[in-house]
Amino acid sequence: MRSAFCHAKANGWIDRIGPVWAPRTVGWSTLAAAPVPAERLHEAGSIIARYPEINHNYARSGAELNLWFVLTAPTENAGRSLLATLSQEIGAPIYPFPLVREYHIDLGFDLAEGRKAKVLKCGPKTPCDRWRTRALSDRERRLFAVLSEGLPLVPQPYRQIAEQCGCAESEVVQQIAHWLAEGTMRRFGAVVRHRALGWTANAMAVWAVPPALVDELGVQLAAEPEVHLCYRREPVPEVWPYTLYAMVHGSDPTHVAQVVAAIQHRLALDRFPHRLLFSTHCFKQTGARYVRHRAA
């Protein structure tokens, strides 16, 4: 099994074996986007990708906001300060779209049949909008940082992590179990690079749904089997009015567009202003790093 994971990582099929952290449990995060001239898009994307606080950094077509990324930071002040720095470096305004409520987050894939694997459900009957952000102890912070880099692919990975963190192997295993039980950690396992495995037609659909309707429609949208991610985010008046987001992954852009069109017709979402943004280039896809530690 270890050799299979080593082979998958060497070929770029998996990012790591490790935790998927729930948002807003140990720090602050936001989706953000910038309007960048086409001739400077790759330069700007490469600048942003250099920062360890950045993950899931893509160029997208279908809107003036064409450079998208997720930023994580220990605190909101630190995150917003970094957004200001990035804006100066790329020479373009950056607009943050913080998460308001998650209806469904599931990035599992059925590798055998190319269908969505139902693994990381948050709802749709219980949409999540309450985060248990808390400070970590020094011991927890060390372990959090080391685990975020992924398990070392060695015969006794937990023992090696314990040695890095200066604790017992049993403490590592118990802390992982505790984080899973309380929801700080969504799951612990292989995190795949879906683009490398053939899911290259990945679309972000957004709708400007009024506040009074967005939760009801968000729950309905999350129940659609083709939807991997579904959440509500804060709009930016006069720039980006969209409140409801969904991600649909596939291998053929025409098919993905047809799937999204069928869903929005079925739920009557086409009565609202909407956009469909396809990712055109991946600058960075890695796990979220809320905290860093020298040992990592």
Side-chain angles (χ1 to χ4, degrees):
M1 181 63 74
R2 182 168 65 90
S3 62
F5 282 129
C6 288
H7 179 70
K9 188 168 179 61
N11 282 278
W13 300 335
I14 64 172
D15 176 60
R16 68 194 184 285
I17 300 172
V20 175
W21 304 106
R24 306 286 188 89
T25 53
V26 294
W28 186 78
S29 65
T30 187
L31 178 68
V36 181
E39 65 274 14
R40 293 181 44 240
L41 182 58
H42 280 254
E43 177 190 2
S46 298
I47 289 172
I48 287 175
R50 289 202 298 262
Y51 284 80
E53 294 88 349
I54 303 301
N55 60 81
H56 291 84
N57 181 12
Y58 291 93
R60 293 191 181 277
S61 63
E64 183 183 12
L65 298 181
N66 55 359
L67 181 58
W68 292 78
F69 59 90
V70 176
L71 178 148
T72 57
T75 66
E76 181 174 352
N77 285 342
R80 291 191 181 276
S81 176
L82 180 54
L83 286 174
T85 298
L86 293 174
S87 179
Q88 289 182 339
E89 289 202 24
I90 68 172
I94 293 178
Y95 302 101
F97 307 107
L99 183 68
V100 174
R101 173 171 285 193
E102 62 178 77
Y103 305 107
H104 179 36
I105 292 183
D106 180 351
L107 279 175
F109 294 91
D110 184 336
L111 300 184
E113 300 181 25
R115 297 179 308 194
K116 182 166 80 73
K118 298 177 182 177
V119 199
L120 311 177
K121 202 79 168 176
C122 179
K125 293 185 178 178
T126 55
C128 178
D129 61 355
R130 291 191 279 283
W131 296 285
R132 298 173 301 280
T133 304
R134 62 179 180 82
L136 298 175
S137 68
D138 289 341
R139 182 187 67 82
E140 289 175 323
R141 186 173 294 276
R142 287 194 298 271
L143 181 56
F144 188 102
V146 173
L147 284 175
S148 293
E149 301 300 319
L151 285 185
L153 299 179
V154 298
Q156 296 179 305
Y158 298 105
R159 178 173 296 182
Q160 181 169 314
I161 287 174
E163 291 172 354
Q164 284 182 263
C165 295
C167 60
E169 184 178 7
S170 60
E171 290 181 85
V172 173
V173 176
Q174 289 170 6
Q175 185 63 63
I176 291 172
H178 175 70
W179 277 333
L180 283 167
E182 72 173 7
T184 297
M185 191 184 291
R186 278 201 197 286
R187 70 178 179 97
F188 193 94
V191 179
V192 303
R193 293 184 180 275
H194 54 271
R195 295 178 66 86
L197 291 168
W199 282 277
T200 55
N202 306 314
M204 182 176 74
V206 296
W207 296 268
V209 180
L213 298 175
V214 65
D215 285 339
E216 177 186 352
L217 289 169
V219 169
Q220 294 178 29
L221 182 60
E224 294 289 334
E226 297 89 356
V227 171
H228 283 94
L229 306 172
C230 184
Y231 34 69
R232 176 179 178 178
R233 292 189 178 275
E234 293 181 9
V236 175
E238 300 182 7
V239 174
W240 193 254
Y242 306 101
T243 54
L244 182 59
Y245 291 64
M247 284 293 303
V248 176
H249 298 76
S251 57
D252 177 67
T254 300
H255 175 69
V256 169
Q258 290 171 345
V259 166
V260 173
I263 290 172
Q264 78 174 9
H265 178 71
R266 187 159 52 247
L267 301 182
L269 283 166
D270 46 10
R271 59 187 151 145
F272 306 112
H274 53 274
R275 296 282 189 96
L276 186 62
L277 289 74
F278 278 93
S279 57
T280 57
H281 184 81
C282 177
F283 295 103
K284 187 176 186 180
Q285 182 194 347
T286 187
R289 268 63 167 175
Y290 287 90
V291 296
R292 282 181 288 164
H293 176 58
R294 292 186 184 88

